[in-house]
Amino acid sequence: METHRPVATAAERQDAFDRLSVTGWPWGLFSLIAGMAFSFFVFGYALIYWRNADMDFMVIYSALAMNDGKQQAFFDHTAYLSILSVKYWFKLLHGVGLLDAWSLSSMPPASDVAAFDAAMTHAVRAGRVLVFLIAAASMLVFAGLMRAIVRDWRVALLAAQAFAFSGGVAVHSRILRSELIAAMPVIFALMILIIAGRRASRFRPAALALAAALCVLGLESKVQAILLIAVLPLVILPFGGEQSASVAFWRNRAAAWPITAVMAIASGAALGIGWPLLLDGFDLTLINAAELRPFLMGRFGLYQLALMMLIAACMIAYAVLWRVSTVETLTSMFAVILGASLALLVLYVAYDERNMVAIANPIEKMLVFADAATTDVANGGGISRLMALLLGDIGSLLARYTFVLQPSARPTVFLIWLIVPGIVVAFRRGERLVAVQALMLLLAAAGIDTLGVRRGLKTEYFIFTDPLIILAGAVLLDRFAPDLSFAKWTHPAAVTLLACYLVVGQAEPVKYAFKETGPESICEWNKHYMPLLPLPWCPPRS
């Protein structure tokens, strides 16, 4: 007796990825921005101005002060680019008649409560609009770079969606903190290096110069970016392939050596211009004034030198692994120096040596705000105490990654649940290069998150590692897409995941929108961070 297979329905025959991206690429990006804007205006823009005052006030105060010709007032980590961007944003809005309170001198006195509240409301909302625009632009850049990394544009669109509604972006698209402007340049640097590494060209050293510049710009905004920068040389090593070998131009020494010489001269000139900045950064008088203690062996500058050696060693290792010529490698090293030096010169826009001290000694600056246990270990607590501390932090991180044992507003945890078995499957199928690429990205994220546990791994820090997790997932999904496209469970599973992702990612903004606490806690620090701007609800200053 002949048996007949049931006829497949139209939905079963249709590619699941097509069903997940019916809008196409341009309208898909537009819908993501529309979704981000909806969340921003409903759960961010209209919040009372002191709701996220922690960094909102500190950044805005410095911007107002600088618009009056005064110095930057906030240097903790350092928020330099955040403050600078708000300063010029306020100046632009004032120039076109959209913002009256754009400097300290234009702020009403605290005694006029109604006028002060109105002025600060306008200033804070203007700042929130700026960060939303930066977050939206970051999403578009992330999406564009992702499309150049993966083969399937639908995977790139899904990755962009995961980024747009991740916990980190949900927080930073509505408050004036420094993490977004610090993390995204370094993430973009990594993505540029992946693209440039996979597809050799005559202009690849220029891509490395741009990546180096982006890393330094990230560090100028927040010293915690040093953790992301430190793992980048190692993460990039497996991202090569048959097209990574140097093109003919870089194998023709007669044609390439002059370019190398020009790059060496340019990098030397840029480094020379920025050299006074480096001298300030390691000036012991300035370091002592900042109350920094050396992190390694009682001397400043040792781990910075080790990081430079690591970068050089990884560039050489990449050249050996993927057949990059000696001339191109040397040119790329000079290009890295050039890009980093040029980015350092941005500090001259509004120079203060305190920023340079923090940027030159990022770990020492981070340890100023570390808890007692971390400080004790950093000051020579011994290997046993260090291992005990790390093991405890790793255990805490694993509990957070389960989400069940320790929930958080971090939907990328759900991606980790898929990435880990995806790496195992890739290894078993012989797709070892893809597996190693995803594994390196995931380990980098886990390593940075482990160090963040000491500060509570707050949602504000997710922006440093969420993109790494999304990248790891996209790399695996791009390879497995042909196998998953017509599986019956792919579409319903993806829809369920996206729904959970969206709900969890918006948890933090919703929580802040319905928070009922008052602004009194601001009085604990406003005299220190805002010395020239009394607040109506705080006791009068003596």
Side-chain angles (χ1 to χ4, degrees):
M1 182 176 179
E2 184 180 359
T3 58
H4 297 279
R5 296 178 62 186
V7 178
T9 65
E12 290 172 334
R13 289 195 303 268
Q14 190 177 0
D15 190 323
F17 290 92
D18 286 340
R19 298 170 68 189
L20 292 169
S21 51
V22 293
T23 57
W25 178 257
W27 283 105
L29 295 181
F30 177 81
S31 66
L32 293 182
I33 292 200
M36 292 173 66
F38 176 81
S39 174
F40 167 72
F41 283 106
V42 174
F43 300 117
Y45 177 78
L47 292 185
I48 192 166
Y49 71 88
W50 42 257
R51 174 58 67 206
N52 298 312
D54 183 332
M55 280 292 297
D56 279 6
F57 276 19
M58 297 172 189
V59 170
I60 286 175
Y61 176 82
S62 279
L64 294 173
M66 292 174 75
N67 277 335
D68 261 345
K70 297 179 173 59
Q71 285 185 313
Q72 177 182 332
F74 183 84
F75 297 94
D76 283 359
H77 52 58
T78 65
Y80 173 71
L81 293 183
S82 299
I83 293 168
L84 207 61
S85 61
V86 174
K87 162 186 159 61
Y88 287 113
W89 176 244
F90 281 5
K91 190 172 183 179
L92 172 64
L93 293 180
H94 177 72
V96 297
L98 294 177
L99 185 65
D100 293 330
W102 70 291
S103 63
L104 278 181
S105 59
S106 64
M107 285 292 299
S111 56
D112 189 347
V113 177
F116 183 90
D117 284 349
M120 280 300 289
T121 295
H122 293 153
V124 169
R125 287 183 175 178
R128 289 173 181 170
V129 169
L130 175 63
V131 296
F132 168 75
L133 294 175
I134 293 173
S138 297
M139 188 278 292
L140 292 175
V141 175
F142 183 87
L145 293 174
M146 182 62 74
R147 187 167 182 179
I149 290 173
V150 299
R151 297 169 297 179
D152 193 329
W153 68 268
R154 301 169 302 175
V155 173
L157 187 61
L158 289 172
Q161 182 173 346
F163 175 79
F165 297 108
S166 62
V169 172
V171 170
H172 288 288
S173 59
R174 67 200 78 228
I175 62 175
L176 286 164
R177 291 187 62 94
S178 56
E179 287 89 354
L180 177 66
I181 300 181
M184 293 321 301
V186 186
I187 293 296
F188 295 155
L190 171 61
M191 299 175 79
I192 289 169
L193 290 176
I194 291 173
I195 296 167
R198 285 177 166 179
R199 304 177 183 92
S201 74
R202 295 176 61 175
F203 304 103
R204 185 157 56 182
L208 270 74
L210 175 59
L214 289 171
C215 287
V216 173
L217 289 175
L219 188 60
E220 288 173 356
S221 192
K222 191 173 181 72
V223 293
Q224 278 84 344
I226 191 65
L227 304 176
L228 200 50
I229 295 169
V231 301
L232 190 150
L234 296 170
V235 169
I236 197 64
L237 284 177
F239 284 94
E242 295 179 357
Q243 297 180 344
S244 299
S246 294
V247 296
F249 174 83
W250 291 110
R251 298 193 178 279
N252 183 350
R253 295 191 175 187
W257 274 117
I259 303 299
T260 305
V262 170
M263 190 66 75
I265 294 170
S267 63
L271 183 60
I273 297 172
W275 193 252
L277 297 174
L278 294 174
L279 293 179
D280 280 351
F282 292 102
D283 185 289
L284 288 179
T285 301
L286 297 176
I287 289 174
N288 291 332
E291 300 181 351
L292 302 183
R293 292 185 177 183
F295 168 67
L296 194 61
M297 299 174 62
R299 298 179 65 88
F300 291 98
L302 292 182
Y303 68 86
Q304 295 89 328
L305 180 61
L307 178 58
M308 288 187 285
M309 293 174 64
L310 173 66
I311 293 171
C314 287
M315 291 182 73
I316 294 171
Y318 189 94
V320 173
L321 281 172
W322 305 112
R323 305 178 309 283
V324 180
S325 71
T326 301
V327 180
E328 184 182 358
T329 302
L330 188 59
T331 306
S332 297
M333 288 181 174
F334 287 130
V336 168
I337 296 172
L338 175 62
S341 300
L342 290 176
L344 196 62
L345 300 183
V346 174
L347 291 174
Y348 278 132
V349 174
Y351 185 62
D352 192 300
E353 62 272 6
R354 286 171 289 186
N355 279 326
M356 189 60 230
V357 169
I359 292 163
N361 304 279
I363 294 182
E364 287 85 352
K365 189 65 176 178
M366 290 165 61
L367 287 174
V368 171
F369 303 97
D371 63 312
T374 304
T375 302
D376 289 343
V377 170
N379 291 334
I383 297 296
S384 59
R385 293 187 62 185
L386 174 62
M387 292 304 298
L389 199 66
L390 281 176
L391 288 174
D393 291 346
I394 291 172
S396 177
L397 178 68
L398 292 177
R400 295 167 193 267
Y401 277 4
T402 66
F403 189 80
V404 177
L405 296 177
Q406 191 166 347
S408 68
R410 189 177 196 179
T412 47
V413 168
F414 303 146
L415 300 184
I416 296 175
W417 296 358
L418 300 176
I419 292 169
V420 172
I423 291 172
V424 174
V425 170
F427 266 115
R428 295 184 64 179
R429 288 178 46 171
E431 301 278 2
R432 296 187 177 181
L433 183 58
V434 173
V436 171
Q437 291 170 351
L439 180 61
M440 290 295 289
L441 288 165
L442 191 58
L443 288 177
I448 296 172
D449 280 343
T450 298
L451 297 176
V453 167
R454 303 311 308 168
R455 295 294 304 276
L457 196 57
K458 298 182 289 187
T459 54
E460 292 86 350
Y461 298 154
F462 295 166
I463 195 66
F464 286 106
T465 50
D466 276 352
L468 297 176
I469 296 169
I470 295 167
L471 264 171
V475 166
L476 286 171
L477 185 59
D478 189 49
R479 185 55 60 95
F480 292 147
D483 299 328
L484 298 174
S485 294
F486 297 98
K488 292 182 179 180
W489 56 268
T490 299
H491 184 260
V495 170
T496 302
L497 174 63
L498 291 174
C500 294
Y501 196 97
L502 183 62
V503 170
V504 173
Q506 296 301 301
E508 199 71 10
V510 172
K511 182 184 77 173
Y512 271 98
F514 291 96
K515 203 172 181 180
E516 296 182 354
T517 56
E520 291 76 17
S521 62
I522 300 170
C523 302
E524 299 173 4
W525 48 259
N526 80 299
K527 291 182 181 180
H528 175 73
Y529 288 109
M530 306 164 62
L532 301 178
L533 189 65
L535 300 174
W537 57 85
C538 293
R541 300 179 179 182
S542 55

